Amino acid sequence: VAGSFSVEANADKMVQKLKSEGFNAEKFVTSKRNFFYVSYGAYNDRTEATREMNRIKAGGKENVWILNY
């Protein structure tokens, strides 16, 4: 996850920014909270997600986490 937002327009801006950087970003909402989450992409399993998270962090983006959804 790249971020969570209470305002949908802010999430949309983040999606566009990440897409311009080459990520397959997408926005989603969980049923537990009324936040708009922005992900770098969807992954098949936790191993793949962890590998991608580590790659993203190595590229200088520190605020990255995995959300089981």
Side-chain angles (χ1 to χ4, degrees):
V1 173
S4 62
F5 303 88
S6 59
V7 176
E8 187 173 14
N10 293 339
D12 291 337
K13 288 177 189 174
M14 176 63 91
V15 168
Q16 290 309 312
K17 179 179 183 293
L18 293 176
K19 284 186 175 188
S20 74
E21 294 175 8
F23 293 101
N24 189 23
E26 55 187 42
K27 173 183 69 179
F28 62 96
V29 179
T30 66
S31 59
K32 295 180 183 179
R33 299 182 184 186
N34 291 327
F35 281 97
F36 299 92
Y37 291 88
V38 176
S39 70
Y40 285 94
Y43 306 98
N44 293 322
D45 56 43
R46 188 165 187 84
T47 300
E48 183 182 359
T50 300
R51 188 174 338 155
E52 184 63 10
M53 179 184 70
N54 290 336
R55 188 185 72 76
I56 291 167
K57 284 184 173 184
K61 297 187 184 296
E62 293 296 320
N63 296 321
V64 180
W65 71 95
I66 296 172
L67 177 66
N68 294 325
Y69 180 64

